[in-house]
Amino acid sequence: YLDGTAPDEAASARAITRAGAIVDANRIVNRVEVAIADTAAPPRFSLDMLRNGDGVQLIGLIPASTGNDAVDAAVAEFADGVEITDMVELADHPAPDTWEDALAYGLRALGTLPRSKVTVLADRVEIEAISESIEQRATFIAALERRMPRGVEVVLDISAPRPVITPFAFR
């Protein structure tokens, strides 16, 4: 008799093969069970936030512990009455360790940058924005670099318009 629990099908087959090398295979009674593997991987939490003059759009999957209300309240503070489109789904899985810090930083960045796209992941915040001048770009970058969270990678891509050069000049 073969009894017990094998971690996977391959281990169960190896046990039967080894037993068959010692005892006639016809005499083996296989009662080995295969352990049920947890194949469900935790979801990849992400939140994409887009802000422009027309409104704020939110889309993504966030932990249920964070909740839509907290995100909506944070966005409403700087939305200035523009329309907020919330397409955020919740998943009842534990939040990664750095999720709350990354989300707080992403929401602060969205509040600072009037025309921007902010993507929040558990360990990374990606920010794309447009400034009105080179000076404003420098101000935005300085403000965002001052408040970077620990353990979260931040990618800043803030563009500024190039100075206009006239194709002609009068003497």
Side-chain angles (χ1 to χ4, degrees):
Y1 292 95
L2 285 179
D3 287 313
T5 303
D8 55 29
E9 290 288 339
S12 175
R14 281 193 305 272
I16 293 169
T17 302
R18 286 186 183 163
I22 298 170
V23 179
D24 182 21
N26 293 330
R27 297 183 58 204
I28 297 174
V29 177
N30 183 9
R31 296 191 302 200
V32 174
E33 294 182 10
V34 177
I36 298 173
D38 183 18
T39 58
R44 180 175 173 257
F45 294 117
S46 68
L47 178 62
D48 288 317
M49 303 178 285
L50 179 64
R51 179 180 179 197
N52 56 31
D54 296 335
V56 177
Q57 293 83 32
L58 309 170
I59 187 167
L61 179 69
I62 63 174
S65 61
T66 301
N68 280 14
D69 295 337
V71 174
D72 289 343
V75 171
E77 288 181 16
F78 59 79
D80 295 331
V82 297
E83 181 181 356
I84 299 172
T85 305
D86 186 352
M87 296 180 283
V88 176
E89 295 292 326
L90 301 176
D92 194 18
H93 286 274
D97 294 337
T98 56
W99 172 256
E100 293 299 327
D101 292 338
L103 179 62
Y105 180 77
L107 288 168
R108 281 195 310 268
L110 191 70
T112 302
L113 304 166
R115 288 184 309 275
S116 59
K117 177 186 179 234
V118 179
T119 301
V120 177
L121 304 167
D123 58 349
R124 182 179 172 106
V125 177
E126 300 171 0
I127 301 168
E128 295 178 42
I130 299 172
S131 64
E132 294 184 17
S133 66
I134 294 174
E135 294 80 18
Q136 187 182 43
R137 177 183 183 271
T139 303
F140 285 158
I141 290 174
L144 293 171
E145 286 179 344
R146 249 191 328 266
R147 303 181 290 185
M148 286 186 181
R150 294 180 192 263
V152 176
E153 180 185 359
V154 177
V155 178
L156 294 175
D157 181 14
I158 300 175
S159 60
R162 296 180 185 228
V164 177
I165 301 173
T166 57
F168 54 87
F170 291 104
R171 291 195 180 219

